[in-house]
C-alpha cells in the first residue's frame, strides 16, 4: 500500500445571518495553511462517513452540534480530498467554544472575496487559505 494516498477531510460551511463562520488556523509552521483563515473540519477516521466526521469535528472544534449536514461538493487535489458540507449556525458566535485554532469569526462575502479578514486575537488582518477562499466563493455564488 502506498503512503502517497490523499487524506480525506470533512469541512463545514456554517452560514449565519449573511456571513460565514471561519477559523483562523493556528500559526504553527508544521500545519497546512498556518495562520490563515479556513473552514472548520478535519480528518475522516477510518470507521466514519464524511457526514459523521463533519459532525464530530465541529463539535470538537467549537462545541456546536450540527444536524443533518448537507453535501455541497468535493474538492480534491494530489494531497487532500475535501468533502464539503453546509449547515446553518443557529447560535450567536459568543456561544461557541473555540477548541482548535487561533481565532474564529463571521466573515462577510466581501471579506471572503477580498481574501483578508481582521482577527482581534492576532491583532491584524490575516489572509484566507486559497483553497478555502475558492470553496467559499463557489458556495456564495451557488447560495445566491
Amino acid at each position: 500500500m502506498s503512503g502517497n494516498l490523499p487524506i480525506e477531510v470533512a469541512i463545514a460551511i456554517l452560514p449565519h445571518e449573511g456571513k460565514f463562520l471561519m477559523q483562523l488556523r493556528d500559526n504553527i509552521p508544521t500545519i497546512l495553511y498556518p495562520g490563515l483563515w479556513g473552514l472548520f473540519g478535519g480528518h475522516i477516521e477510518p470507521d466514519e462517513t464524511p457526514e459523521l466526521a463533519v459532525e464530530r469535528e465541529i463539535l470538537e472544534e467549537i462545541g456546536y452540534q450540527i444536524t443533518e449536514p448537507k453535501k455541497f461538493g468535493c474538492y480534491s487535489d494530489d494531497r487532500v480530498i475535501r468533502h464539503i458540507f453546509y449547515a446553518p449556525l443557529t447560535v450567536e458566535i459568543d456561544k461557541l467554544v473555540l477548541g482548535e485554532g487561533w481565532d474564529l469569526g463571521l466573515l462577510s462575502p466581501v471579506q471572503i472575496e477580498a481574501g483578508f479578514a481582521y482577527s482581534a486575537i492576532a491583532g491584524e488582518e490575516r489572509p484566507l487559505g486559497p483553497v478555502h477562499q475558492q470553496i467559499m466563493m463557489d458556495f456564495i455564488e451557488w447560495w445566491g
Side-chain angles (χ1 to χ4, degrees), residues 43-122:
H43 290 83
I44 299 171
E45 299 296 335
D47 59 341
E48 281 182 319
T49 63
E51 290 80 4
L52 285 173
V54 76
E55 290 177 12
R56 175 185 53 77
E57 285 286 344
I58 300 310
L59 192 58
E60 288 175 7
E61 293 183 357
I62 56 173
Y64 180 65
Q65 181 69 60
I66 59 174
T67 55
E68 299 179 22
K70 293 176 178 54
K71 187 87 181 230
F72 171 63
C74 195
Y75 288 70
S76 300
D77 58 37
D78 294 342
R79 296 187 306 176
V80 185
I81 299 169
R82 296 171 183 87
H83 299 269
I84 314 300
F85 295 89
Y86 65 98
L89 179 64
T90 58
V91 300
E92 295 305 315
I93 193 169
D94 63 3
K95 300 285 188 256
L96 303 174
V97 178
L98 186 62
E100 187 174 307
W102 193 5
D103 199 359
L104 55 75
L106 288 169
L107 277 58
S108 70
V110 170
Q111 290 171 303
I112 291 165
E113 186 173 9
F116 287 89
Y118 183 78
S119 161
I121 291 175

